[in-house]
Amino acid sequence: MPHVLGLRCKECGRDYPAEPIYVCDYCFGPLEVAYDYDSIRKSISREKIKDGPLTIWRYDDLLPVGRENAVDIGAGMTPLIRATNLGRLLGLNNLWIKNDSANPTHSFKDRVVSVATTKALEFGFDTIACASTGNLAGATAAHGNKAGMKKVVFLPENLERGKIIGAAIFGNVVLVRGNYDDVNRLCSELGDDRRWAFVNINMRPYYSEGSKSLGYELAEQLGWRAPQHVVVPVASGSLFTKVWKGLNDFATLGLIDGVPTRMHIAQAEGCSPIARAVIDGQTHPRPVIPNTIAKSLAIGTPADGIYSVAIAKESRGSATAVPENEIAAGMRLLAETEGIFAETAGGVVISALKRLAEQGVIGPDEETVALITGSGLKTLEAVQDEIDPPVIDATVESFDEVVMGAVRRS
Ligand SMILES: *Cc1c(COP(=O)(O)O)cnc(C)c1O
Ligand SMILES: [Zn+2]
């Protein structure tokens, strides 16, 4: 890609070539893709983006690899929906839902994996792999198949059925006894002496760039404008930092006027190291052992924790640790008002949004986007005990007795 300068350490600023590496040799800081914005400015425009494909690849001027050989199963350009019903209930007149459960494997992870897999092919890897909290597994396995690559996908054993089957249908899934942090450590060890492309380990600098597309899309779909608030579900913190980066890229390039956006972190109380650090005024999240039903967010040692804390502060945002017993309620609230069935991470976001509205952190007329990053069909366990539709005989009498009777009684 002509616009990529290489990799740069986020801590000490040292430059590296664009290779499958992810930590700085000098300070062990994480590496990030560095771009030549002056050259991008000359080639990018709103018109050119609008003429691009209806996927994340319309933004390939700002991605680490071009669209020519993209491993593309259709990630991106998901609906941004005006949430009038939920907004009315929460007293928010300008509320939007970005529905990333509409991605091909039903989570935002298709964005990051599409970029990482394309880059892995370019590097000449023949095997794609990942350490997943759930959604990444399905996305990696699906893109691996599309790319015709070998793949090995690692998941914690105690995940929801929908996550396991939704990934294993694509093949080559391995369940590991332990939590995500154990899986991640195992994968780091495996990666030491195998030439595999672990999308979220040695490919992480490229992987995380895929998340910027969510920020780009928000701005484009709002009519080339950054919203005043974004509420983001946070696990490692990668998505959170890259939505902010995406919005700021657009401002740097003059595609939008500026970034007034306040960035809000949503985590579940049972795994909220980043939210806790923000709330307690600390710069470094303290590692935790996850114990939450929001399994897709269950990372106890978040790689992008300190950067997320810094962005919440810099953007005058906030952080919410949503009580575990409010997660299913958030899922139901979104389903009942907007007709969207989100996974547990979405329940976390909607409950956090509700609190921010009640506390007045988000004003009634301020433009707000809540990110729904995964589908509720993969986390049925979270709500199945509360959902109990009536069963009737196939007769009018049975309908009248059971259903109309219940209506009369209520
Ligand atoms: C992975 C994931 C996130 C956030 O991931 P980060 O590690 O913070 O980038 C959010 N929602 C869902 C549903 C996810 O699967
Ligand atoms: Zn460094």
Side-chain angles (χ1 to χ4, degrees):
M1 277 302 286
H3 303 316
V4 173
L5 297 171
L7 298 178
R8 185 166 295 153
C9 175
K10 282 183 85 162
E11 288 298 319
C12 73
R14 270 195 177 77
D15 287 320
Y16 291 84
E19 280 170 10
I21 50 176
Y22 64 108
V23 273
C24 175
D25 289 338
Y26 293 89
C27 76
F28 302 111
L31 304 182
E32 188 172 48
V33 178
Y35 296 89
D36 179 352
Y37 284 101
D38 288 334
S39 109
I40 295 173
R41 196 173 290 116
K42 284 183 203 122
S43 85
I44 206 167
S45 68
R46 290 179 181 179
E47 291 64 38
K48 185 177 164 202
I49 290 171
K50 276 194 220 147
D51 288 342
L54 290 171
T55 66
I56 61 166
W57 295 100
R58 70 205 272 105
Y59 307 110
D60 72 344
D61 275 327
L62 288 157
L63 294 175
V65 61
R67 70 172 76 135
E68 307 74 37
N69 302 310
V71 181
D72 181 12
I73 61 173
M77 285 309 269
T78 56
L80 180 73
I81 290 156
R82 189 80 196 252
T84 42
N85 298 333
L86 179 60
R88 199 175 306 121
L89 222 94
L90 301 182
L92 300 176
N93 305 319
N94 215 341
L95 178 64
W96 301 83
I97 300 290
K98 177 66 169 165
N99 185 10
D100 244 28
S101 70
N103 273 305
T105 70
H106 317 292
S107 86
F108 96 92
K109 293 295 197 302
D110 288 318
R111 298 175 182 275
V112 283
V113 174
S114 183
V115 174
T117 311
T118 304
K119 196 68 193 172
L121 271 183
E122 190 189 274
F123 283 137
F125 285 104
D126 66 357
T127 303
I128 197 101
C130 74
S132 173
T133 58
N135 286 312
L136 185 58
T140 301
H143 284 85
N145 288 354
K146 180 69 176 172
M149 297 174 84
K150 289 185 257 179
K151 60 200 184 301
V152 201
V153 168
F154 296 90
L155 281 169
E157 171 194 44
N158 67 347
L159 275 191
E160 302 96 342
R161 298 298 291 163
K163 296 267 172 72
I164 294 174
I165 295 169
I169 186 73
F170 302 115
N172 305 84
V173 162
V174 181
L175 300 179
V176 180
R177 289 184 206 99
N179 61 31
Y180 170 80
D181 299 286
D182 299 314
V183 176
N184 194 43
R185 186 182 33 76
L186 167 66
C187 288
S188 297
E189 287 174 32
L190 286 169
D192 279 346
D193 60 356
R194 270 153 256 245
R195 216 185 114 72
W196 291 354
F198 278 97
V199 296
N200 56 337
I201 303 178
N202 54 339
M203 298 300 293
R204 191 171 178 86
Y206 310 99
Y207 158 98
S208 47
E209 288 298 285
S211 286
K212 292 192 307 182
S213 62
L214 199 33
Y216 301 148
E217 274 175 39
L218 292 186
E220 183 182 352
Q221 290 173 322
L222 284 172
W224 303 102
R225 182 171 75 234
Q228 282 166 284
H229 300 272
V230 184
V231 187
V232 185
V234 170
S236 72
S238 171
L239 172 65
F240 185 79
T241 61
K242 294 295 179 170
V243 168
W244 175 246
K245 180 90 187 303
L247 294 171
N248 281 282
D249 275 355
F250 266 20
T252 301
L253 295 165
L255 294 167
I256 59 175
D257 280 340
V259 184
T261 314
R262 296 171 65 182
M263 299 288 300
H264 303 284
I265 290 168
Q267 292 201 296
E269 195 145 63
C271 182
S272 47
I274 303 180
R276 275 265 78 80
V278 173
I279 294 163
D280 297 343
Q282 271 144 12
T283 53
H284 288 58
R286 207 171 308 135
V288 301
I289 308 274
N291 180 19
T292 173
I293 64 161
K295 293 175 194 285
S296 54
L297 306 181
I299 297 185
T301 52
D304 289 298
I306 47 173
Y307 305 113
S308 301
V309 173
I311 288 168
K313 196 166 166 215
E314 180 189 346
S315 70
R316 298 178 306 117
S318 74
T320 307
V322 172
E324 291 294 320
N325 63 11
E326 289 179 19
I327 296 174
M331 293 167 70
R332 294 188 67 164
L333 181 58
L334 182 64
E336 285 162 8
T337 52
E338 298 299 329
I340 294 172
F341 186 15
E343 73 144 75
T344 44
V348 170
V349 164
I350 298 302
S351 289
L353 173 72
K354 183 163 178 277
R355 284 172 172 244
L356 295 174
E358 284 165 1
Q359 293 160 0
V361 176
I362 299 179
D365 295 318
E366 292 172 352
E367 191 159 62
T368 302
V369 180
L371 301 188
I372 296 304
T373 47
S375 163
L377 290 172
K378 290 199 210 176
T379 62
L380 295 175
E381 289 86 343
V383 286
Q384 66 187 7
D385 292 345
E386 303 174 19
I387 308 285
D388 191 17
V391 182
I392 63 169
D393 297 328
T395 64
V396 172
E397 290 73 25
S398 180
F399 175 79
D400 279 340
E401 185 193 325
V402 178
V403 182
M404 300 312 285
V407 171
R408 270 195 300 276
R409 278 193 301 279
S410 71

